[in-house]
Amino acid sequence: MAKILINDGIADIGEKMLRDAGHEVITESIPQEELHAQLPSFDAICVRSATKVRASLIDVCPNLKAICRGGVGLDNIDVDHAKSKGIAVINTPAASSRSVAELSFAHLFSIARSLYLSNRSMPEEGSSAFKALKKSYSKGFELYGKTLGVIGLGRIGRETAQLGLSIGMEIIGVDPYIPKVELIIGGQQVNAKHTIASVSLEEMLPHADVITLHVPFLGQPVLGAAEFQQMKDGVVLINASRGGTVDEDAMLEALESGKIAAAGLDVFINEPTPRPDILAHPRISLTPHTGASTLEAQQKIGIELAEKLIAHLNQS
Ligand code: NAD
């Protein structure tokens, strides 16, 4: 029986699976500054993005057999250091892809019909402004027939491209490591296959009406001033990948100049304190990094994490 600390929460089903497998599961979160003192008595820790598992913490935990991350990104874990100590690092990369893709489209639909603006202004302005607001928000656009540039054709990028195809958008994919992808359009009732080839960023940028990012943050922005220059005037930008993949100064300038009509952002540099001028911007639709935060994704994450951790603890 192993002693497992769930420090950032897990879906009930995942906790139950771990307990049913005979493990002791502690779900009371231990503050980061107390982990050095308390984690050494555990065999495994499960985190999301809040808890950091750095080398100095790993070094004081000789009993640790696994570090589990519910979700995709491993930036809060010193993965190489853990592996060098023989500690498994487990994550659930596929569980939230559909949810993130759907949130990207939630931003896009919201921007296309000014929902985020209506929801801000209608309660403030009251019914006397109804007609004026109706006029302000009557310049929406349909997504059907528009071109969607998808940067990153991994798990989430493919789901997003599939959603775009399903509503009649043209897709241009960009991924230097994936030459083409086969997409399944539709759902349980409709099922059609469609292949898209990946092109270079420079080829995609001038043609897309909407650009959505689904890449890891690798230390440099993928979109900066030079890339914004190459985009169509009035492009819509969606970022539900990672803070830092877009140069925020350049994005704000592009919003001011009209190069970007509007942006939908789920991720920010310096989370959890994004810059105030982004939060207050009238043409940015905002969510606080909730791309993976659906009931379905949390359940899939909990199940996948529990299955992988139980299998690993059985082996070790
Ligand atoms: P993935 O590894 O399956 O796909 C990423 C793809 O990006 C890969 O195919 C890779 O080849 C490609 N890529 C890397 N650099 C590129 C570049 N410069 N240009 C174009 N393509 C490039 O990852 P994923 O599961 O699809 O996740 C994508 C991103 O979404 C990650 O940053 C992840 O952290 C983020 N994410 C966000 C949320 C959220 O809540 N908003 C949730 C989960 C994941």
Side-chain angles (χ1 to χ4, degrees):
M1 186 187 79
K3 191 175 169 193
I4 302 166
L5 175 64
I6 309 285
N7 218 40
D8 300 333
I10 190 171
D12 290 348
I13 177 82
E15 184 184 335
K16 181 175 182 312
M17 286 167 70
L18 292 169
R19 288 192 201 281
D20 288 351
H23 299 299
E24 184 187 352
V25 182
I26 311 295
T27 54
E28 285 80 38
S29 183
I30 298 175
Q32 185 76 47
E33 59 280 8
E34 291 175 27
L35 281 172
H36 273 70
Q38 297 201 43
L39 192 59
S41 69
F42 287 87
D43 299 290
I45 179 170
C46 297
V47 302
R48 290 186 57 77
S49 54
T51 303
K52 316 275 177 261
V53 190
R54 297 285 171 229
S56 61
L57 179 59
I58 292 167
D59 285 343
V60 296
C61 300
N63 299 328
L64 212 56
K65 297 177 185 66
I67 301 167
C68 307
R69 160 71 159 103
V72 185
L74 291 168
D75 18 356
N76 53 326
I77 299 169
D78 279 342
V79 177
D80 290 342
H81 192 74
K83 287 185 176 165
S84 75
K85 301 260 168 177
I87 300 168
V89 179
I90 294 168
N91 68 345
T92 58
S96 57
S97 303
R98 175 75 188 196
S99 293
V100 181
E102 288 193 10
L103 184 83
S104 302
F105 265 90
H107 276 292
L108 186 46
F109 277 115
S110 176
I111 286 169
R113 306 306 296 274
S114 301
L115 299 191
Y116 70 109
L117 293 172
S118 299
N119 283 327
R120 285 177 198 173
S121 52
M122 285 185 78
E124 271 175 28
E125 308 271 335
S127 52
S128 60
F130 193 96
K131 280 187 179 169
L133 293 176
K134 180 172 174 164
K135 199 172 170 198
S136 306
Y137 303 140
S138 292
K139 299 181 190 75
F141 59 90
E142 293 184 355
L143 299 182
Y144 183 88
K146 298 292 188 303
T147 298
L148 176 66
V150 181
I151 306 180
L153 292 171
R155 290 170 290 257
I156 300 172
R158 287 198 296 271
E159 288 279 358
T160 307
Q162 280 170 193
L163 284 173
L165 280 173
S166 302
I167 58 165
M169 298 186 85
E170 306 287 325
I171 309 297
I172 308 181
V174 174
D175 194 313
Y177 308 103
I178 298 185
K180 63 176 183 178
V181 287
E182 192 167 87
L183 303 171
I184 312 289
I185 312 160
Q188 287 165 4
Q189 291 171 331
V190 185
N191 224 320
K193 283 188 182 159
H194 186 85
T195 303
I196 57 165
S198 140
V199 303
S200 70
L201 191 60
E202 291 67 31
E203 281 174 89
M204 181 276 284
L205 290 173
H207 299 291
D209 301 298
V210 178
I211 293 176
T212 183
L213 277 146
H214 303 288
V215 294
F217 176 57
L218 298 174
Q220 296 280 347
V222 174
L223 297 180
E227 288 73 29
F228 289 127
Q229 275 307 316
Q230 297 171 60
M231 294 177 191
K232 265 189 186 178
D233 289 341
V235 68
V236 172
L237 175 70
I238 307 292
N239 190 8
S241 63
R242 271 287 179 273
T245 53
V246 172
D247 177 332
E248 291 181 346
D249 285 323
M251 177 190 70
L252 286 166
E253 274 172 36
L255 278 160
E256 286 320 305
S257 74
K259 174 59 85 176
I260 299 178
L265 304 180
D266 188 46
V267 292
F268 308 86
I269 293 172
N270 206 26
E271 290 180 26
T273 45
R275 45 195 286 183
D277 49 356
I278 286 187
L279 297 182
H281 200 286
R283 278 183 286 125
I284 301 182
S285 169
L286 301 159
T287 44
H289 205 146
T290 48
S293 306
T294 62
L295 185 62
E296 290 82 358
Q298 296 314 308
Q299 286 186 338
K300 282 188 266 182
I301 285 170
I303 292 168
E304 192 179 332
L305 208 66
E307 281 174 351
K308 287 180 170 174
L309 180 54
I310 291 165
H312 178 72
L313 292 171
N314 282 344
Q315 284 165 12
S316 50

